[in-house]
Amino acid sequence: MSSLRNHRVVIASLFLPNTAVLGESHPPTPDVHSSLPLPDVFPSHTKDQGFKLTLPSPRTRTPAPILSIVEDLKDKSRTGSPAVTPGVEHVSPLFATLAQLKPSGFGDTKVKSSARNGFGCLPGSLPSTRQRPTEDHHAHIPLRSQRKNTRSIARRPHSDSPVGRQYHVEPNPHGNGGLTNAVKSLEGRLKRKRWVGTLGTNTDSFKEPLRRNIDYRMAEEYDSSPVWIPDDEFTQYYDNFCHQVLWPCLHYVVPDAPKTKTFYESSSYKQYVSVNQRFADTIVANYQEGDIIWVNDYHLMLVPQLVREKLPTAIVGFFLHVAFPSSEIFRCLSVREHLLRGMLSADLIGFQTANYARHFRQTVSRILALETLPKGIQLDDHFVDVGVFPVGIDVRALKEKRRDAEVAQWVQTLTDRYAGVKLVVGRDKLDEVQGVRHKLLAFEAFLDKHPEYHQKVVLIQVALQTSEENEAHGGVSDVVARINSRFSTLTYQPVVFLHTEDLSFGQYLALLTVADAFLVTSMREGMALRTHEFVVCQEERHRPLILSEFTGSYSYSGFRSCIAVNPWDTRNTAKAIHQALTLDADEAFSRWDDLHNHVVTQTAQAFVTSFLTRCLRVNIEHQQGDTQVASLDLALLLPRYRHSQRRLLLIDFEDTLWERNPRRQREGKGESIPTEAIEVVKRLSEDSRNEVWLLSGLPVKMLDGLARDTPKVGFVAENGCFVKPMPGKSGESSWITMVANFNLTWKNSCIEILNYFTERTPGSFIEERDASIVWRYFSGDEAVDSGDRAWARRQAAEAQNHIFDSLGERYGLRIIPGKNAFLVLPNYISRSTAVGAILHAGGPTYSPRAPWILPEESESIAHAKDFVLAIGRDEKLLRRLGELDNAETCSTGTGGTDARWRVAREEVIDVLGQLAAAQGGTLNVSSKLTVHRNILLFIIFTYVVLVTSQERRRFCGPRDAIPSTKGSKGRGWRR
């Protein structure tokens, strides 16, 4: 986390955490609020400064005795549809039927009662003590009865207040609660931040002076920069595109006939682009060097690309908080390519689960025909990391909120009210994706199968804010009416519905605490954080969680201890409800303990820290590779080459020395290798100090002829599958396989698949090699954007996905797409791995042992080379060699590169020719240096001898006096 302290985080989300509301602010309601930030799926309750949706502070009174449910049913209607919104009322009907059951400290403010036909009025519903005075100072927030048929109007309440009227700032009930909580949980360590988003209210009536004032205040006091969007444009963007096109698609719902035109034509896409551009402009205007730009959710999928156009070196991360579908669903979007390329401009793309990340990689591979790796996406000019970052909750803050007196009071109230009754609790939006109808059908089946639980089990469903249109699509009204008509009695009603505005956060926590089971039956969902809240609230009772297999939470091992259900399987979901209610204490605790360990480990703090830290690290890696690469300077390269004694030259063959035309060779016309290329390679290999290797993707049989013409050159064939070292002392060398221990039986199945696509793609053909396969799907003019090329690219993407899905994971295959072809070969084999074997002293080119047996004690010979030169387009190889101090790397590609130099393909032969020409001069210079060295050594030796002789004479006297043993038996004097 310390690495983030030097960076400010710019957080772009559709709605700001706080919003500006016209009108004077009023004092907050005392004693019933907590500092706990709102959870992501309970947006109406938070620490605020003005607008309150929790209980007001009434006059103190003695709590009334618990009344029977018979009296609860007075003045209540059992008719009506749950989708019907009740009329305007001054009472905020939280748990309307328990108005008399106020805990100590709650008063008896007079309220106006009304018969309700909505969810909150069903007989037996929970009690309400939250009341709105007759003159509500928050009249600018519409009740449900004032909601229109669109989400944007429901979320952006209209204000007819004069522009000059005083405004105040309060928490935004529409913001991304999970994201807000996560960022707030790190306030002590993440102090420098800037939010970018909309206010969540109609702003056309805001004049320019008021907007400037709001901008200034939001920036100074709330670290926020509002994005101003015209109301009509926002409605088209938010209602028509985000929630009628993107939302269904991302959750595996392709609209049927009534919505087909809206979905497929995507006529509101231009508003989507416009809003994303406004966000990008606001981000750029507030950008400071070193900022980490964090773009959130599907509303802003184009923002990374729009920001990157203005800020090429900025740190940009994108996180998707919802699900991402399979490629079959996403490809239905007419603007699919624009959305994908918008996301791919980020340094890091985050998802909730590994499945969603895998779906994204497969979709990119299928639609954009880009190379996808487990770590991310390889584009022409950069690499995009794709990671998994599950969102969590702030466990510590939630525990503090649970200790509030309000929660304890409501726990006691609910316990007394539902004594002897099992409570099954759920909280969902009422649209079809959340599966509320499936939940109700399963509960009905449970009551049918287990009559002994009649009048002993109640399903309390909390309905999140949504539009009435989506409520109708959810189709829950008829099921609720049927269940309550079949199983209700004068004192019992099996299903109780509440809206979130009828429920305070403290009351919701109390409801989770007393629940005997929590039921989630989503058809598809990113991360169900309400399940995390339930687990924390069950620290005393350890009751089970019933969870849909299609939620993001279920994909983690810690949540496998829940009772998993398939929402479409009504019978087994009903069985799961019975299992949860009859679970013995030991098993219930064991399951809860596993769930709790995951919740307290994968927290909101861990989510923010891991995402931002990796985003920063990834950008640093990208910037190191994307720095401006200079053209090759021979004036700097030649001196190092001349004065080196052991050189290693690694040269790509195709697209560097030779531009191959596979079509001409297939037609039998043949295509000769340029003579000058062969000659320059031979000249380089003649120097005994040079070790020359040609790296190729061609098969062995196509390189044998070239190998005979250049006997002193080493070869790598099929992108590293085979290696032919330079001749040894015997003058012979043979091909060595690097795939001897690989299973190559996949080739027959792969060819069968490719034959299918070849028959349907005119001009395509297959190149079968010894250990790899290439499919050439287009050979026409690339400059012409023809229908044939578009068809061929779609077929290629389809073929790649088919091969990977059926053979890739089973046999460990890698697919490398190109401009007009793609290559299939075994994983962990590449030109880089072949060069690794070449550089290793115990590798196949230096040891007769098998290539995969490399002794750990062997030292790399890379450091024994004075000079290493690599020229080509293989970025993985260039990146690997770039780590050597004695290496010079040259890229012949046009995109981003990690190489030190860049050289045009047409200039490679000339560069190699100048290196070969420098060899001759190098020999003469070397010979002269050798002569000069010998002369200098001779002079030094002579000088040492003379000095030694003089010293001897000085200490030993004249030469005649030197003792000798010649002619005497004892010690004598030598002459």
Side-chain angles (χ1 to χ4, degrees), residues 310-322:
K310 301 291 184 62
L311 305 172
T313 61
I315 307 171
V316 182
F318 179 86
F319 186 82
L320 189 68
H321 291 262
V322 297

Side-chain angles (χ1 to χ4, degrees), residues 390-396 399 532 535-536 556-559 593-610:
V391 179
I393 63 173
D394 189 350
V395 177
R396 181 177 55 190
K399 289 182 178 180
H532 295 58
V535 171
V536 174
Y556 292 95
S557 58
F559 270 80
D593 189 51
D594 287 341
L595 295 171
H596 187 260
N597 289 336
H598 176 86
V599 170
V600 299
T601 302
Q602 191 55 60
T603 61
Q605 293 89 337
F607 161 67
V608 176
T609 303
S610 60

Side-chain angles (χ1 to χ4, degrees), residues 50-339:
F51 173 43
K52 297 296 176 184
L53 285 178
T54 49
L55 297 171
S57 180
R59 295 187 299 272
T60 304
R61 60 164 295 191
T62 304
I66 302 295
L67 302 181
S68 69
I69 199 170
V70 176
E71 297 188 39
D72 291 342
L73 299 179
K74 291 181 179 180
D75 299 326
K76 300 295 185 290
S77 170
R78 293 177 56 180
T79 62
S81 167
V84 177
T85 301
V88 180
E89 55 190 2
H90 295 288
V91 180
S92 182
L94 165 67
F95 299 159
T97 57
L98 281 183
Q100 299 90 347
L101 304 182
K102 304 183 182 75
S104 177
F106 291 89
D108 55 353
T109 303
K110 292 183 179 181
V111 297
K112 175 182 177 181
S113 61
S114 62
R116 300 186 61 189
N117 294 330
F119 296 149
C121 73
L122 291 172
S125 59
L126 291 173
S128 172
T129 60
R130 180 173 58 84
Q131 301 156 3
R132 183 179 289 108
T134 304
E135 294 182 4
D136 194 343
H137 60 271
H138 298 296
H140 60 279
I141 302 296
L143 300 176
R144 288 198 313 276
S145 59
Q146 296 172 308
R147 287 182 298 161
K148 305 300 179 182
N149 291 328
T150 61
R151 288 179 183 242
S152 63
I153 295 178
R155 290 179 176 265
R156 294 163 60 92
H158 177 71
S159 173
D160 55 0
S161 301
V163 175
R165 185 175 173 182
Q166 183 182 1
Y167 72 92
H168 65 279
V169 178
E170 63 185 32
N172 195 337
H174 318 307
N176 187 329
L179 176 64
T180 303
N181 287 350
V183 174
K184 285 185 177 180
S185 67
L186 287 175
E187 276 190 342
R189 291 176 287 173
L190 193 64
K191 297 181 178 180
R192 300 177 59 207
K193 58 182 178 295
R194 174 58 60 94
W195 290 88
V196 175
T198 64
L199 295 176
T201 184
N202 288 347
T203 58
D204 281 356
S205 61
F206 289 22
K207 300 301 182 182
E208 190 61 28
L210 178 60
R211 295 191 181 195
R212 288 198 301 266
N213 187 277
I214 292 176
D215 285 340
Y216 176 81
R217 184 177 176 186
M218 294 294 288
E220 293 296 322
E221 299 180 14
Y222 299 95
D223 297 323
S224 300
S225 295
V227 180
W228 301 99
I229 303 173
D231 295 340
D232 290 340
E233 181 177 308
F234 187 90
T235 300
Q236 290 292 320
Y237 153 81
Y238 190 72
D239 286 335
N240 292 353
F241 191 80
C242 290
H243 285 285
Q244 301 301 329
V245 178
L246 279 183
W247 173 268
C249 176
L250 294 174
H251 291 82
Y252 287 75
V253 178
V254 178
D256 51 10
K259 295 184 179 179
T260 299
K261 182 176 181 180
T262 302
F263 185 86
Y264 288 102
E265 289 187 359
S266 302
S267 57
S268 56
Y269 178 69
K270 60 181 181 181
Q271 283 82 16
Y272 185 84
V273 175
S274 177
V275 172
N276 277 251
Q277 185 65 62
R278 293 177 186 272
F279 267 84
D281 293 341
T282 305
I283 293 172
V284 172
N286 289 274
Y287 178 76
Q288 299 175 5
E289 189 66 30
D291 283 353
I292 301 176
I293 301 173
W294 185 4
V295 184
N296 288 273
D297 228 354
Y298 64 99
H299 311 96
L300 307 174
M301 296 174 77
L302 300 179
V303 170
Q305 183 181 31
L306 298 174
V307 169
R308 185 70 68 191
E309 293 173 355
K310 301 291 184 62
L311 305 172
T313 61
I315 307 171
V316 182
F318 179 86
F319 186 82
L320 189 68
H321 291 262
V322 297
F324 193 91
S326 67
S327 58
E328 287 294 334
I329 301 295
F330 196 85
R331 68 184 300 196
C332 296
L333 289 173
S334 61
V335 293
R336 56 196 182 182
E337 293 192 22
H338 302 286
L339 297 175

